[in-house]
Amino acid sequence: METIKNKEFGGERPLFGAKDLILENVTIHAGESALKECSNIRAVACVFEGKYPFWHVDNFQIEDCLFREGARAALWYSSNLLMSRTLVEAPKMFREMSGMVLDNVQIPDAQETLWHCRDIKLRDVIVKNADYIFMHCNNIDIENYEQHGNYSFQYCNDVEIRNAVIFSKDAFWNTNNVTVRDSELHGEYLGWHSHNLHLINCKISGTQPLCYCHNLIMENCEFAPDCDLAFEESELNAVINSPITSVKNPTSGIIKAKSYGSIILDEFIKQPADCLIEVIE
């Protein structure tokens, strides 16, 4: 493979179409599409300042790099990425991608990030300002993850999350086949309209959690006191090892909790209206 070291590039498409290339301590200055239509690229200790540096790229590694704010929309329409020990200051990262691993990556401005991607693995990743992250993504595997940003994981399918702390209003809306283990989920309106959401050993806070859910399963979870009006129009099997402030009109299944502040079953409850609500002895 060819190696380029200690160089600077700028302008339009300076490395367009490159193949089998290693970049070491290279800076990509202002411009567009520095590495468009490339393959078999390895970037080590590089700085990216220009827009759209990696579009239509296949099989590439990015290690110990920095994407400055100007490198917005940096990785789109690409496949087979390994990114490690990298700081991403630019928004709109990762769009229409497949086959990607992020390991020890920080994204402090994750606006409009990870949209329409599939086959994603995250390890030791921190994202902030991350509204709408993971929109319409499929096949996601996450471990050791911290997130600050609302409306996350909307319309996602086949997601596994472990050891995460997520601060997100409206997380997991309209998802299918999501499992979250050993995690903290903070934010109102969690999981509305989800299908096959499975929460295991999770601590949950925020008003009106888990309403309109289909086949919701909860094992050994805890609710904070602000988790009121839970489970409206949901079909579920839930074990909550804490008090629940209030439950409202669950549709079917069973709920077990330490205690209930109030149970609201009114004329608006939907059939079959046969949910069992029990106290854990």
Side-chain angles (χ1 to χ4, degrees):
M1 295 179 69
E2 179 187 359
T3 299
I4 298 175
K5 292 185 178 182
N6 307 320
K7 298 290 186 180
E8 299 183 17
F9 298 91
E12 303 297 311
R13 302 187 177 191
L15 297 168
F16 183 90
K19 292 179 172 60
D20 304 317
L21 179 64
I22 298 173
L23 303 175
E24 294 185 11
N25 194 32
V26 168
T27 299
I28 304 295
H29 291 297
E32 294 186 8
S33 305
L35 289 144
K36 190 173 184 180
E37 298 286 358
C38 294
S39 62
N40 299 324
I41 305 296
R42 183 182 179 202
V44 181
C46 296
V47 177
F48 298 93
E49 299 174 347
K51 294 184 289 186
Y52 326 137
F54 292 94
W55 278 41
H56 301 281
V57 176
D58 180 51
N59 192 24
F60 58 124
Q61 298 180 40
I62 298 172
E63 305 167 31
D64 301 293
C65 290
L66 169 62
F67 289 80
R68 296 199 184 277
E69 184 178 359
R72 59 196 299 112
L75 296 94
W76 286 28
Y77 306 107
S78 295
S79 57
N80 302 316
L81 163 70
L82 172 58
M83 176 183 283
S84 57
R85 302 177 304 280
T86 290
L87 174 61
V88 178
E89 297 175 344
K92 297 189 176 182
M93 297 289 287
F94 314 112
R95 192 80 59 91
E96 299 281 359
M97 292 186 58
S98 63
M100 50 193 299
V101 177
L102 307 185
D103 186 358
N104 193 12
V105 172
Q106 296 188 41
I107 313 176
D109 188 14
Q111 300 176 66
E112 300 181 36
T113 289
L114 281 159
W115 285 11
H116 299 279
C117 295
R118 63 186 182 276
D119 302 327
I120 303 160
K121 181 181 288 186
L122 271 61
R123 296 292 184 270
D124 299 295
V125 171
I126 299 173
V127 298
K128 298 181 180 179
N129 197 25
D131 286 1
Y132 294 104
I133 193 168
F134 290 107
M135 179 95 76
H136 290 286
C137 287
N138 298 319
N139 193 20
I140 304 169
D141 182 353
I142 295 175
E143 188 166 2
N144 300 331
Y145 174 70
E146 180 181 331
Q147 175 192 304
H148 301 261
N150 297 320
Y151 323 115
S152 58
F153 297 95
Q154 293 197 1
Y155 302 101
C156 286
N157 297 295
D158 303 318
V159 180
E160 178 88 22
I161 299 174
R162 298 173 297 281
N163 299 314
V165 179
I166 295 175
F167 295 88
S168 178
K169 180 173 71 174
D170 296 358
F172 303 109
W173 276 48
N174 294 284
T175 55
N176 189 38
N177 297 333
V178 172
T179 299
V180 185
R181 304 174 186 269
D182 306 313
S183 297
E184 297 181 21
L185 306 174
H186 303 286
E188 54 199 28
Y189 317 128
L190 172 68
W192 284 28
H193 304 285
S194 59
H195 289 73
N196 306 319
L197 177 59
H198 193 174
L199 305 177
I200 306 167
N201 301 329
C202 290
K203 296 181 179 180
I204 296 164
S205 68
T207 187
Q208 299 177 58
L210 303 162
C211 300
Y212 311 101
C213 297
H214 302 273
N215 192 32
L216 168 66
I217 298 174
M218 303 181 69
E219 301 179 38
N220 193 35
C221 292
E222 296 180 14
F223 274 3
D226 63 350
C227 289
D228 60 339
L229 304 174
F231 305 132
E232 185 174 11
E233 292 193 33
S234 286
E235 306 158 1
L236 72 159
N237 187 329
V239 177
I240 310 298
N241 289 322
S242 68
I244 301 179
T245 297
S246 58
V247 170
K248 183 176 182 181
N249 290 343
T251 299
S252 63
I254 184 168
I255 304 167
K256 297 181 179 180
K258 292 289 187 179
S259 63
Y260 303 88
S262 62
I263 298 172
I264 303 165
L265 305 174
D266 60 26
E267 69 273 22
F268 299 109
I269 192 169
K270 296 293 175 37
Q271 296 301 311
D274 60 359
C275 184
L276 300 176
I277 301 176
E278 301 180 353
V279 175
I280 297 173
E281 298 296 335

